[in-house]
DNA sequence: AAAAATCTGTCAAAACTATTGACAAACTAT
DNA sequence: ATAGTTTGTCAATAGTTTTGACAGATTTTT
């Protein structure tokens, strides 16, 4: 009777669990991100030891859990540790950036098994981009010697607002052709696994909350600073998406009504004044005006500057480069000060390419936030760099999909 | 066996319900704010008809539900409607403003039974204020011919950030002496009911979400504009409080680094530039400068102006008054535009004394928001005035307490 | 080194919870 | 009137969870 619902090569089933208790157990083990004992689960879920034991046995039968060594003794018999084994299945984690594709295979437990990344222009439109994504995923699957059916869930982060119900982008500003494109069905032929789509910054926030500096932090704000600027909000432990899925979209907050034109068409958006292109533009201007020999030299050599170049120059002590970096940090900090008043988070995590530009960038953000926010809200408010760095998107996409397939619908 | 747990004069018990299903039924009936049938409950809760029937019988035994007439027929036997009767017990709803005390008795179902309000200065400190609150509550209880033990829960809204775990204020800017004052225990002698404390604006948001324009709206932003300016956030159907309980505290967002000094000590806070005192100050200045004969006349007569006076003058077509009103609306709208980008709500509700100042105030807020926010987020974003007006705080305090006593701890 | 205490994991019996299906009551529509 | 619906209840059945007992494993105490 139980036998006929055992795994036995019948990939994939969705949802993977059979009842709410199993879902809660899996969610807990997944959330822990390290082996847990039956005792820990019993305590956390507030059900009886025998109940946990029984459901754990069933989950082991299903292949979703495996015993893995013993814990240190706590004054009695040592407890056996449980974890989500590689053999439970894999998650395809896909991170689409404005200029890049990153694809990875991770275990259901969130461990990265293999990954591939390459530059790409999202503006090419959904069909060629998704074709390439599927190629890359196929290569990974092949290289790992697995079968597409072993992929239990697919998580996708995309650089635009996602309507959750349908899993489609809505009016993405930088992604012509993607509006309402049915991303989910793109995988339908080759993969039977369910597809979970969300905004890339939301996904990164999820990743950082699950396995980065934000582990266990109930109210956190993740800010991505790259070509674009965006935010992801974890409120009371859950990702908050907003009505149209564009909550946290802080890149187009107006910081200067007389500022430059933004890609969105408005004037003086944060993104247009503090994002990577703005940093480069401002640095190039100062280089051309002969104010910074260091920047001018790099510009001379390479023909163009990058945000990283500017950061490096600032790190070497170039005054003008430092000013450019600081200006970006200050503007972002000003907006963050407002967000702190509104959201009262207990942690702010800064990620994205520009976040690695140097210490003075973070320092300037911090000083702007602390200067302008209410003392109560900033009293214990760390503002730190992302721990996962380039993996945040991949890890988050994996978490998105894993949580999705491990949830019982009800 | 069941008998001994029946009501029978043993007020109060907390929690009022016996299990999760009962809690869910009561929460649903309470949330509906109008009589529901067993069939509706069955559908909404996804349990069997007989289960609902059984638990409803028990809840009627406990006195928490009562049959109340029949619904229209839906093509068959008419269903009997269930509601929370007055006899189930009462909730004490308390709304402490910066300059006022409002106390009410409501049914557990949220209907206002009786209320009292009077001016008071919160700065007098917790002891005299809470003494007066208890006197007023005692008068209401007496006038209604009830007994203090019939009060099942006490909900309190206070104008400062509230740490939920302890139910105490933390560093309230305008409430000297209230920091960490144990509000809950103030009621301990006379009332056995549990006390639920929260920020006044959060409480108003709760009220508007339960029984005002925000009914059924999952993501809403409630903005109170009075002496102070604050916001309450309903995210995914739940009140979001933030880490220290000061989420939504938008009054001290800096809108002009060169602006006037705020009560909080910083410069150019929204509150200091667009709140009632700012409106009055600006209007008086213009009156004194002789730019507005209308305002000057009122000022002459009464010796001072109020925000309502300014609104009335604006309504009569006085140009200067209108400019003052608009300036406040525009500044608030600018901040709201940011909040819209961050929270992507589906509704903004404006309440508080100043919200009644005239149509041009709301019009200016709307125009500022629509001008500055992303089109996607504002496409279907109504910005409306509070429906509950002066009752928002009372209703919200009742909802806070009712939801509290009807929740099963688990 | 033995005994006591403590923690872990499993099992069967008992307690509890929820659903099913039957039925009578109440209503609409033809 | 009669057929078709919906409602509310009941008893039987099915399912879920806890309880309490017990054996295994490990630390602490004597």
């Amino acid at each position: 009777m139980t036998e006929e619902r055992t795994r036995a090569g019948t990939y994939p089933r969705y949802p993977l669990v059979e009842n709410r208790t199993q879902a809660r157990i899996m969610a807990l083990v997944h959330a822990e991100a390290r082996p847990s004992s039956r005792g820990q689960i019993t305590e956390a879920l507030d059900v009886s030891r025998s109940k946990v034991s029984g459901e754990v046995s069933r989950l082991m039968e299903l292949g979703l859990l495996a015993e893995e060594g013993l814990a240190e003794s706590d004054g009695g018999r040592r407890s056996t540790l449980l974890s989500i084994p590689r053999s439970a299945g894999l998650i395809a984690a896909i991170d689409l950036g404005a200029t890049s594709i990153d694809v990875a295979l991770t275990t259901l437990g969130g461990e990265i098994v293999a990954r591939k990344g390459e530059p790409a222009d999202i503006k090419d439109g959904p069909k060629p981009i998704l074709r390439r994504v599927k190629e890359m995923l196929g290569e990974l699957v092949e290289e790992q010697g697995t079968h597409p059916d072993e992929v239990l869930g697919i998580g996708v982060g995309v650089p635009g607002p996602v309507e959750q119900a349908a899993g489609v982008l809505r009016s993405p500003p930088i992604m012509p052709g993607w509006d309402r494109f049915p991303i989910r069905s793109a995988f339908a032929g080759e993969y039977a696994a369910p597809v979970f789509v969300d905004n890339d910054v939301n996904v990164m926030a999820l990743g950082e909350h699950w396995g980065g500096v934000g582990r266990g932090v109930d109210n956190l704000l993740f800010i991505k600073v790259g070509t674009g600027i965006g935010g992801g909000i974890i409120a009371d432990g859950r990702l908050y998406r907003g009505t149209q899925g564009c909550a946290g979209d802080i890149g187009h907050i107006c910081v200067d009504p007389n500022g430059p034109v933004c890609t969105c068409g408005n004037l003086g958006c944060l993104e247009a004044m503090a994002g990577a292109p703005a940093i480069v533009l401002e640095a190039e201007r100062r280089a051309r005006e002969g104010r910074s020999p260091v920047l001018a030299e790099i510009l001379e050599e390479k023909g163009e500057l990058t945000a990283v170049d500017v950061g490096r120059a600032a790190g070497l002590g170039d005054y003008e480069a430092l000013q450019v970096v600081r200006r970006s940090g200050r503007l972002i900090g000003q907006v963050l000060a407002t967000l702190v008043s509104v959201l009262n988070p207990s942690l702010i995590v800064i990620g994205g390419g520009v976040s690695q530009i140097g210490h003075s960038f973070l320092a300037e953000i911090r000083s702007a936030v602390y200067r302008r926010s209410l003392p109560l809200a900033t009293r214990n408010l760390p503002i730190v760099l992302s721990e996962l760095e380039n993996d945040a998107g991949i890890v988050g996409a994996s978490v998105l999909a894993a949580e999705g397939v491990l949830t019982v619908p009800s």
Side-chain angles (χ1 to χ4, degrees), chain A residues 16-28 45 51 54-56 58-59 62 64 406 408:
Chain A
L16 299 173
V17 292
E18 296 170 339
N19 59 46
R20 215 177 83 87
T21 309
Q22 287 182 11
R24 292 179 69 201
I25 292 173
M26 290 307 294
L28 190 77
L45 262 49
K51 176 67 179 157
E55 296 295 357
V56 164
R58 183 71 189 122
L59 287 167
L62 292 169
L64 292 175
L406 290 174
V408 69

Side-chain angles (χ1 to χ4, degrees), chain A residues 115 204-213 349 356 385-393 395-396:
Chain A
R115 59 177 297 171
M204 291 168 93
L206 222 45
E208 207 65 55
H209 179 239
W210 178 81
V213 264
V349 182
Q356 305 300 322
L385 289 182
S386 163
E387 202 172 272
L388 300 175
E389 298 186 13
N390 296 325
D391 288 349
V395 171

Side-chain angles (χ1 to χ4, degrees), chain A residues 176-193:
Chain A
W178 287 79
D179 193 25
R180 293 170 200 259
F181 187 86
I183 298 175
R184 282 183 191 157
S185 44
F187 295 90
E190 286 123 284
Y191 300 90

Side-chain angles (χ1 to χ4, degrees), chain A residues 226-395:
Chain A
T227 307
I229 297 178
I233 301 166
I234 304 283
D236 290 335
R238 294 151 12 103
L239 181 63
Y240 173 69
R241 298 183 166 97
T243 304
Q244 279 98 358
C246 62
D249 205 343
I250 63 168
H252 302 284
I253 289 174
C254 175
V255 289
D256 180 357
N258 306 313
V261 179
C262 176
T263 49
C264 76
N266 286 331
L267 298 179
C269 293
L270 177 62
E271 195 166 301
M273 297 192 61
I279 290 174
V280 169
L281 228 62
E282 181 68 18
E284 286 181 349
R285 192 175 65 80
R286 296 190 185 206
R288 287 215 190 77
E289 285 174 5
R291 290 157 69 179
S292 162
V294 180
L295 287 174
E297 192 180 330
I298 307 174
L299 182 56
E300 183 78 14
E301 260 173 44
K302 301 174 47 180
E304 59 174 13
L305 288 174
T306 66
V308 174
D309 292 330
V310 182
R312 199 169 298 135
L316 292 171
D318 182 76
Y319 178 79
E320 293 292 322
L322 192 60
Q323 291 307 309
V324 172
V325 168
R326 281 197 178 147
R327 192 181 81 124
S328 168
R330 192 173 58 248
L331 290 167
I332 291 167
Q334 278 171 25
V335 170
L336 286 191
T338 299
L339 297 217
V340 167
S341 292
V342 176
L343 295 171
N344 184 208
S346 37
L347 174 68
I348 296 179
V349 182
I350 313 282
V354 175
S355 69
Q356 305 300 322
I357 205 171
H359 183 260
S360 43
F361 177 67
L362 186 61
E364 196 66 29
I365 292 179
R366 283 189 181 134
S367 109
V369 172
Y370 296 145
R371 192 166 56 239
R372 287 175 173 246
S373 299
L374 279 182
L376 177 62
T378 50
R379 193 179 295 166
N380 294 304
L381 177 64
I383 302 176
V384 300
L385 289 182
S386 163
E387 202 172 272
L388 300 175
E389 298 186 13
N390 296 325
D391 288 349
I394 286 298
V395 171

Side-chain angles (χ1 to χ4, degrees), chain A residues 81-167:
Chain A
L81 292 171
L82 300 162
S83 63
I84 303 174
R86 158 64 231 257
S87 59
L90 296 171
I91 295 288
I94 296 156
D95 184 13
L96 296 182
T99 59
S100 62
I101 298 175
D102 282 271
V103 180
L105 281 175
T106 77
T107 66
L108 191 56
E111 204 183 319
I112 297 175
V113 173
R115 59 177 297 171
K116 263 189 205 301
E118 64 183 37
D121 191 348
I122 195 91
K123 290 199 189 69
D124 291 347
K127 281 181 188 165
I129 294 285
L130 288 174
R131 194 190 322 120
R132 186 65 197 126
V133 163
K134 280 191 287 183
E135 278 170 22
M136 291 166 72
L137 182 53
E139 288 164 25
L140 283 177
V141 168
E142 197 162 331
E143 284 163 28
Q144 292 300 309
T146 62
H147 187 269
D149 282 353
E150 214 183 332
V151 175
L152 304 178
I154 301 174
V156 188
V158 293
V162 174
E163 191 179 288
Q164 281 300 308

